[in-house]
Amino acid sequence: MVLEATMICIDNSEYMRNEDYSPSRCLAQADAVNLICGMKTQDNPENTVGVLTMAGKAVRVLTTPTSDIGKILTCTHGLEIGGEMNIAGAIQVAQLALKHRQNKNQQQRIVVFAGSTVKNDKKALEIIGKKLKKNSVALDIVDFGGEDEEKSEKLDALVSAVDNGTSHIVHIPHGQNLSDVILSSPILTSNEGGAGFAAAAAGIGGSSGLEFGVDPNIDPELALALRMSMEEERARQEAAAARRAEEEAATQGKEEERQSKSEDVAMTERDDVEMVDEDALLVQALAMSMNNYGSDSSAVGDAAMSEATGVDEDLALALPMSIQESAKGASSSEAADVSKVLEDQSFISSILASLPGVDSNDPSVKEFFASLNNQSKEFLASLNNQSKKDEQDPSNDQKK
């Protein structure tokens, strides 16, 4: 059995959101990492495994080499996805972590999952490979996530630079299962213990259909750890789905509220316009009714009296003349009755109140009726004088 310390470099770049590997690149990679961790710890109880991420703001070590399988599997969940993969920096950090391993008798190995484009130069990667060879560090690369010839060429050059007989590279095309391909790859079958574990896992998973390809009777701790890790991942996915559903519901509610407010504002503006139109129509109708009333032949007297409030000169002259003409043919007693009627303010006020648009308290109206009263008195006085003259000189009646 090989005594080994392994550092696994995980790709957590933006490319891991793609779903060209079932169920996604990130989850397929997590299953493959769990498989390798289980293989390494099953191969030898003294083997240790560490994990680091290659993307984000910087290369980050999640856990240093340890034999605690639960700790190893837990750190692979809840990874932050973002940024670009820095494979050169990740390999150097992994080599430094292996250099400080507690058991110096352990062989050193780095396993790299490359699921995105490689930004580093080919020459720089070859220099890193030669440095790994000098320090007796084996390198395994799992290349997935596309048919990029430039990427494959760079990774092949990196593995060739290590060239110590124990390094391998596996290219996995779209649509295939990462764990199934790794089970039959040299990464797990390069030594006796690894080959036995891979064969057992393949046989268990294919024939009896046990979870994760691990028999709980053979390794109950590994089976439990794998089950717990999958349950945590499932819970995380369900929580993320619930959170997305809540956010979508909140966004939809805000949109509906905004549309409702817009409809209310539009309805209010429409009501205001209709009210303004109704007011305009009402004003127009009142004006037309006033015009019609003024043109009505049955209301000539009222219209004339209403216009008299404006002290129309023609009307002011016409009314006294009509009174004088009627008074000429009347007796002095009838003229006196007319004068009394003009002096009766309560009667005049009641007459004016019945006329539309006439204010009895208007000074011009009062002045007009006062002048009529004065004229009637003068006319009455002239009639009395004329009657006295007629009595004194009867010839005047004959002349008339």
Side-chain angles (χ1 to χ4, degrees):
M1 290 188 290
V2 179
L3 181 61
E4 203 171 52
T6 306
M7 283 295 297
I8 300 179
C9 302
I10 299 177
D11 186 358
N12 63 322
S13 64
E14 287 288 343
Y15 289 87
M16 293 299 102
R17 301 184 189 275
N18 295 341
E19 297 180 356
D20 47 356
Y21 294 88
S22 180
S24 66
R25 289 191 186 184
C26 181
L27 297 179
Q29 177 183 234
D31 292 340
V33 170
N34 293 340
L35 177 64
I36 294 176
C37 292
M39 182 272 289
K40 296 297 182 181
T41 55
Q42 179 72 17
D43 187 22
N44 193 319
E46 296 184 7
N47 284 352
T48 58
V49 180
V51 181
L52 61 80
T53 56
M54 297 187 292
K57 295 181 180 179
V59 176
R60 185 165 64 98
V61 177
L62 301 180
T63 178
T64 55
T66 177
S67 59
D68 186 355
I69 185 64
K71 184 178 180 181
I72 297 170
L73 298 178
T74 301
C75 70
T76 59
H77 298 295
L79 296 178
E80 295 182 0
I81 297 178
E84 297 180 351
M85 178 181 67
N86 182 9
I87 188 171
I91 292 176
Q92 294 177 9
V93 172
Q95 181 184 356
L96 183 62
L98 292 174
K99 183 178 180 181
H100 293 86
R101 65 192 184 280
Q102 294 181 353
N103 188 353
K104 300 299 181 180
N105 295 325
Q106 293 174 326
Q107 297 181 11
Q108 304 174 76
R109 180 176 296 273
I110 299 175
V111 180
V112 177
F113 283 84
S116 58
T117 58
V118 178
K119 300 295 184 181
N120 304 98
D121 295 334
K122 179 180 177 181
K123 191 172 183 179
L125 294 177
E126 290 177 347
I127 294 174
I128 293 175
K130 292 178 181 179
K131 186 177 180 180
L132 293 178
K133 180 179 180 180
K134 181 179 180 180
N135 292 284
S136 301
V137 180
L139 177 65
D140 293 332
I141 297 179
V142 179
D143 177 21
F144 67 102
E147 303 294 338
D148 189 352
E149 295 182 359
E150 183 180 0
K151 172 188 174 183
S152 300
E153 183 180 353
K154 291 180 180 180
L155 295 178
D156 289 336
L158 175 60
V159 175
S160 299
V162 179
D163 192 21
N164 53 10
T166 59
S167 299
H168 313 87
I169 183 170
V170 178
H171 302 283
I172 305 177
H174 292 292
Q176 296 190 15
N177 187 279
L178 268 64
S179 299
D180 292 343
V181 176
I182 292 173
L183 276 173
S184 58
S185 69
I187 295 177
L188 293 184
T189 61
S190 59
N191 55 71
E192 183 179 355
F197 179 86
I204 294 172
S207 61
S208 59
L210 296 177
E211 287 184 323
F212 320 116
V214 178
D215 188 356
N217 297 324
I218 297 176
D219 193 345
E221 294 181 356
L222 177 59
L224 178 61
L226 292 173
R227 187 177 296 107
M228 291 177 60
S229 65
M230 291 302 296
E231 289 177 355
E232 291 176 357
E233 179 63 19
R234 189 179 297 108
R236 184 187 67 80
Q237 293 179 3
E238 291 176 356
R243 185 167 58 255
R244 286 195 299 270
E246 292 178 357
E247 292 176 354
E248 292 176 358
T251 303
Q252 185 177 2
K254 291 181 180 179
E255 182 66 19
E256 292 177 354
E257 183 178 357
R258 186 184 65 79
Q259 292 180 357
S260 177
K261 290 182 178 178
S262 300
E263 293 176 357
D264 292 342
V265 171
M267 186 177 296
T268 303
E269 293 177 353
R270 185 167 58 254
D271 293 341
D272 293 341
V273 172
E274 292 177 355
M275 186 176 296
V276 171
D277 294 341
E278 291 178 357
D279 293 342
L281 292 174
L282 181 60
V283 172
Q284 184 177 2
L286 290 174
M288 293 174 64
S289 65
M290 292 299 293
N291 292 333
N292 293 334
Y293 181 82
S295 62
D296 191 355
S297 60
S298 63
V300 172
D302 293 340
M305 185 61 69
S306 175
E307 293 174 359
T309 59
V311 195
D312 192 330
E313 295 180 356
D314 295 337
L315 183 59
L317 294 173
L319 286 175
M321 290 174 65
S322 63
I323 294 174
Q324 291 176 3
E325 290 176 358
S326 61
K328 286 179 181 179
S331 62
S332 61
S333 60
E334 293 176 350
D337 293 338
V338 172
S339 179
K340 291 180 180 179
V341 169
L342 292 176
E343 291 178 354
D344 190 351
Q345 295 296 329
S346 60
F347 176 73
I348 295 299
S349 298
S350 62
I351 293 299
L352 292 178
S354 63
L355 298 177
V358 178
D359 186 5
S360 60
N361 296 323
D362 191 344
S364 59
V365 175
K366 293 181 178 181
E367 182 180 356
F368 175 72
F369 277 97
S371 63
L372 290 179
N373 191 13
N374 293 331
Q375 292 177 7
S376 63
K377 289 180 179 181
E378 293 176 357
F379 181 70
L380 183 59
S382 64
L383 288 177
N384 292 332
N385 294 331
Q386 184 65 34
S387 62
K388 289 179 181 181
K389 290 180 180 180
D390 292 340
E391 291 177 357
Q392 294 175 359
D393 189 2
S395 62
N396 289 336
D397 293 335
Q398 295 177 357
K399 291 179 180 180
K400 291 179 180 181

